[in-house]
Amino acid sequence: QQVAQRLQDSVRSSDMVAHLNGDEFVILLAHIIDPEVVMLILQKVMQCWTEPFQIESQLNLETQEIYLTCSIGVSLFPEHGIDAPTLLRNADTAMYHAKSQGRNTYCFYTEAMTAAAFAHMQMENALRVALQRQELYLVYQPQLDFATQHWSGMEVLLRWQHPRLGLVPPDQFIPLAEQSGLIREIGRWVLQQACIQGKTWLEQGVNCGCIAVNIASPQFQSGDLIPSVLEALAMSGFPANQLELEVTEGFVMQQPQARIQELAQLRQMGVKIAIDDFGTGYSSLSYLKQLPIDKLKIDQSFVRDIPQDEDDMAIAQAVIALGKALNLRIIAEGVETEEQANLLQNWGCHEAQGYLYSRPIAAAEIPPLLRKGLPSR
């Protein structure tokens, strides 16, 4: 209701504001002759979100401030359509393009967007059946303990082998899975398969250490993360203390207390919690120390240019010092050279993973590698 009121206040009396569905509104600007008028109104609409919204909590009757952002798509008559359905469809296409540009912005419709939207739709449809057709599979990247020079565990990584497109890069299909909601089903499957594989290795006498599984934002927000983990552990028999869940720094720092309590419950079950991509977000240190976590993972963007980049070296050292002060394990990802490994170890980093030690490999290749004890470089 507050959003609707602000939108109405930002347009002219001759314009129409309509609530389409969910969190989507449509604004119809009538009698536009000069395109500059559209830009002026757009700027006013974008200003709707600068001030917080006041929401009264039904639990404690306290007023809370909530900040919102918006993504806007614009289509013009007659350039982008001569009837309402076409104009709405093209504005919707432009809106999704605005979302893909980082949100909190606007885009005008172009024909190229339709081609991109069609390709996006085709990819989403293919992803919907990929799980049933067994096109998705897991690979594993081992992690090294600096102190013992033995393998300490591995990270699970998802791959998609499309029958026509070949190997689809994760940075293309993972965001698509998150946007479409498919990541919940896929994420549950990844958890189950990783735990089943871990139990198989244990039965073969292979010490696989901790198996780290990435948890996407929708899995966390849905509220069914704990049931999914319990189901995976129960059906596989894999020990909870050998399962590690990785959540990104930027996401976990924005979660309400209820979501953080879920992490605490998982940790009480024995499951380990790691903060992935640490250093790329904006952490509150006072909040960080309250989180129920066991490990910080230094993002590979800060490891890649060590030792050439002094800023990256300073950030890596600071993260290691912070983690040690909080009694957390520190692991660096993306380690590719002996020099990087030696520096990280000298700074006090506990673990590392990267091409220096092993690329992500198939499950069948893991037992021979782990039985070696020491990684061959």
Side-chain angles (χ1 to χ4, degrees):
Q1 291 174 353
Q2 293 183 47
V3 167
Q5 187 60 56
R6 289 193 189 186
L7 290 177
Q8 282 187 311
D9 293 342
S10 66
V11 300
R12 305 163 303 173
S13 58
S14 58
D15 300 325
M16 178 187 294
V17 176
H19 179 216
L20 192 62
N21 58 63
D23 60 352
E24 293 187 355
F25 286 81
V26 172
I27 299 177
L28 176 63
L29 305 179
H31 311 298
I32 295 293
I33 299 175
D34 188 348
E36 290 188 6
V37 174
V38 178
M39 293 302 302
L40 291 173
I41 296 175
L42 269 175
Q43 291 170 9
K44 290 186 67 176
V45 171
M46 294 300 294
Q47 291 173 359
C48 288
W49 322 101
T50 56
E51 296 296 325
F53 292 83
Q54 306 293 329
I55 303 295
E56 186 176 281
S57 171
Q58 295 181 352
L59 295 177
N60 52 24
L61 300 182
E62 293 182 357
T63 300
Q64 298 179 338
E65 290 188 345
I66 296 178
Y67 285 88
L68 300 180
T69 60
C70 73
S71 301
I72 305 175
V74 183
S75 64
L76 301 175
F77 171 89
E79 295 96 320
H80 304 146
I82 59 173
D83 55 63
T86 303
L87 288 167
L88 277 172
R89 182 174 65 249
N90 291 342
D92 190 58
T93 298
M95 181 195 67
Y96 278 102
H97 187 74
K99 284 186 175 183
S100 70
Q101 299 302 305
R103 300 174 183 268
N104 202 29
T105 187
Y106 60 85
C107 286
F108 282 79
Y109 172 77
T110 65
E111 289 187 6
M113 290 180 185
T114 295
F118 182 71
H120 184 279
M121 181 186 67
Q122 285 187 311
M123 184 71 76
E124 181 179 325
N125 290 338
L127 186 57
R128 288 186 183 277
V129 298
L131 199 57
Q132 287 74 28
R133 294 178 178 175
Q134 298 183 337
E135 297 170 7
L136 301 180
Y137 65 96
L138 303 181
V139 293
Y140 303 82
Q141 187 170 36
Q143 300 167 333
L144 179 78
D145 187 310
F146 276 134
T148 65
Q149 287 295 299
H150 284 71
W151 301 115
S152 57
M154 65 197 72
E155 180 181 4
V156 179
L157 299 167
L158 181 63
R159 295 291 184 263
W160 181 15
Q161 184 69 39
H162 190 279
R164 181 173 54 83
L165 300 176
L167 192 62
V168 182
D171 60 1
Q172 289 186 16
F173 76 85
I174 296 294
L176 178 60
E178 293 182 355
Q179 294 166 12
S180 63
L182 293 171
I183 195 65
R184 292 178 60 185
E185 180 184 0
I186 294 174
R188 188 162 51 247
W189 176 83
V190 170
L191 260 175
Q192 293 174 1
Q193 294 303 306
C195 289
I196 290 172
Q197 184 61 71
K199 179 62 174 178
T200 301
W201 283 326
L202 293 177
E203 290 174 345
Q204 294 172 349
V206 178
N207 182 13
C208 58
C210 271
I211 294 183
V213 179
N214 291 280
I215 300 300
S217 302
Q219 291 175 267
F220 201 27
Q221 290 173 320
S222 65
D224 60 1
L225 179 58
I226 290 180
S228 296
V229 172
L230 288 172
E231 179 185 19
L233 293 174
M235 70 180 297
S236 65
F238 189 63
N241 62 3
Q242 287 187 248
L243 176 63
E244 180 176 286
L245 304 181
E246 293 187 0
V247 292
T248 61
E249 173 194 15
F251 178 72
V252 75
M253 297 302 292
Q254 301 171 6
Q255 293 310 299
Q257 196 60 36
R259 296 281 89 87
I260 302 305
Q261 285 300 317
E262 290 181 11
L263 292 182
Q265 291 177 43
L266 288 166
R267 197 161 179 247
Q268 289 171 2
M269 292 160 43
V271 176
K272 293 180 174 59
I273 307 296
I275 300 293
D276 195 12
D277 301 336
F278 190 79
T280 59
Y282 302 92
S283 291
S284 163
L285 298 185
S286 61
Y287 187 51
L288 181 65
K289 69 180 184 181
Q290 301 175 34
L291 292 176
I293 57 178
D294 302 278
K295 183 183 290 186
L296 295 182
K297 195 169 192 178
I298 305 174
D299 186 69
Q300 60 182 338
S301 62
F302 302 121
V303 176
R304 185 182 304 117
D305 295 325
I306 292 175
Q308 292 81 13
D309 192 307
E310 293 185 359
D311 290 337
D312 285 346
M313 291 180 66
I315 291 172
Q317 292 181 74
V319 172
I320 292 169
L322 172 65
K324 293 177 70 175
L326 295 175
N327 295 316
L328 301 173
R329 295 282 292 179
I330 310 298
I331 180 170
E333 62 179 350
V335 179
E336 298 185 353
T337 69
E338 289 280 2
E339 191 171 12
Q340 291 170 347
N342 291 334
L343 285 170
L344 289 163
Q345 186 174 7
N346 291 336
W347 294 336
C349 187
H350 301 112
E351 301 174 46
Q353 74 180 80
Y355 285 3
L356 176 63
Y357 308 110
S358 174
R359 292 176 176 271
I361 56 179
E365 300 177 64
I366 289 293
L369 185 68
L370 296 187
R371 288 189 176 113
K372 290 180 181 178
L374 291 173
S376 58
R377 302 183 188 174

